[in-house]
Amino acid sequence: MKALSQKRRHPLAAIALLLMGLLVTGGLYAVATTVNQAKASTESYSASDVEEGGKLFAANCATCHGMGASGSQAGPSLVGVGAAAVDFQVGTGRMPMQMNGPQAQKKPTQFNEEQTKQLAAYVASLGPGPAVPEAGLLDEKGDAAKGGELFRTNCAMCHNAAAAGGALTRGKFAPALADVSGQHIYEAMVTGPQNMPVFNDANISPEGKRDIITFLKQIESNGSPGGADLGALGPVSEGLFVWIAGLGVIIAFTIWLTSRTS
């Protein structure tokens, strides 16, 4: 200790302390990133999947995303986005993108399930990222009540409390969630497509995501128990519409009743 104390005024002591600080900070960041990263799937890809996916990528995606998915002026790098991002974007038809616009539109898929898996395998081989979720998280057997609380807290401000979707700024929108598979809902949460924030496992646990999917599928299967709805715009909007329409009918009837016959 005495020898170490004598060297504390050495010209290189400050540099050594700075390097130690950087190493500690980097180590803590790496640990935190690992903890927050969405849980990986147990699904594994074969070398053949990766090879075929690379061919599909070069023929259909490299024009925008660059060779090796390193990105270009027309599209971002896909290194590290993970298999879940590819499965969501390609599996919902959003990619390849049909045209430039505020956000990619859902449309019929260009690739079949096997080709989508191969593309996901190729991108996953480029760097670690969120993986396709395990089947156990998509069984729709979670707690719907907890899922409803999580949805209203984290999602309803954009997707509407009834998951009917809603408008955002600059021509963007949060889509309705009816008829969206549980796998794609889970993948959207862990990858944050378009304007959606990423909900990693530190924000919403895998069990919480399972509860949200259960809630969404439950309200989708229940339909509209109150009768015909107005697009699930919400009780205030729907009540206002009915009130204005009813008032208009009363006024029209009153005018007709008090009018004189010519």
Side-chain angles (χ1 to χ4, degrees), residues 103 156-160 164-176 195 233:
Q103 65 184 64
M157 66 284 289
C158 293
H159 287 284
N160 181 296
L168 302 176
T169 58
R170 299 182 179 181
K172 301 173 183 175
F173 63 92
N195 301 285
L233 296 174

Side-chain angles (χ1 to χ4, degrees), residues 43-75:
E43 182 176 6
S44 59
Y45 301 107
S46 66
S48 174
D49 288 335
V50 175
E51 182 180 356
E52 293 301 319
K55 295 177 182 177
L56 287 170
F57 187 92
N60 299 278
C61 314
T63 303
C64 295
H65 294 288
M67 295 303 295
S70 57
S72 71
Q73 292 184 344

Side-chain angles (χ1 to χ4, degrees), residues 9-183:
R9 296 185 184 279
H10 193 280
L12 298 178
I15 297 176
L17 285 174
L18 179 61
L19 289 175
M20 289 177 61
L22 290 173
L23 287 173
V24 171
T25 304
L28 291 175
Y29 177 78
V31 171
T33 303
T34 303
V35 171
N36 291 338
Q37 192 174 20
K39 188 177 290 184
S41 163
T42 55
E43 182 176 6
S44 59
Y45 301 107
S46 66
S48 174
D49 288 335
V50 175
E51 182 180 356
E52 293 301 319
K55 295 177 182 177
L56 287 170
F57 187 92
N60 299 278
C61 314
T63 303
C64 295
H65 294 288
M67 295 303 295
S70 57
S72 71
Q73 292 184 344
S77 169
L78 300 183
V79 177
V81 302
V86 178
D87 189 73
F88 174 83
Q89 298 286 358
V90 178
T92 59
R94 289 178 167 84
M95 291 290 161
M97 202 169 175
Q98 190 172 33
M99 64 180 74
N100 290 327
Q103 65 184 64
Q105 302 281 345
K106 184 179 180 180
K107 63 182 186 303
T109 58
Q110 177 173 329
F111 300 100
N112 60 33
E113 188 174 341
E114 180 65 19
Q115 291 171 325
T116 302
K117 178 185 175 183
Q118 291 170 342
L119 281 168
Y122 171 69
V123 173
S125 72
L126 302 175
V132 175
E134 301 171 6
L137 297 171
L138 311 173
D139 58 5
E140 303 175 16
K141 296 180 180 178
D143 188 326
K146 290 182 179 178
E149 293 176 7
L150 287 170
F151 184 84
R152 287 187 289 274
T153 302
N154 298 282
C155 318
M157 66 284 289
C158 293
H159 287 284
N160 181 296
L168 302 176
T169 58
R170 299 182 179 181
K172 301 173 183 175
F173 63 92
L177 301 180
D179 299 324
V180 180
S181 72
Q183 180 169 321

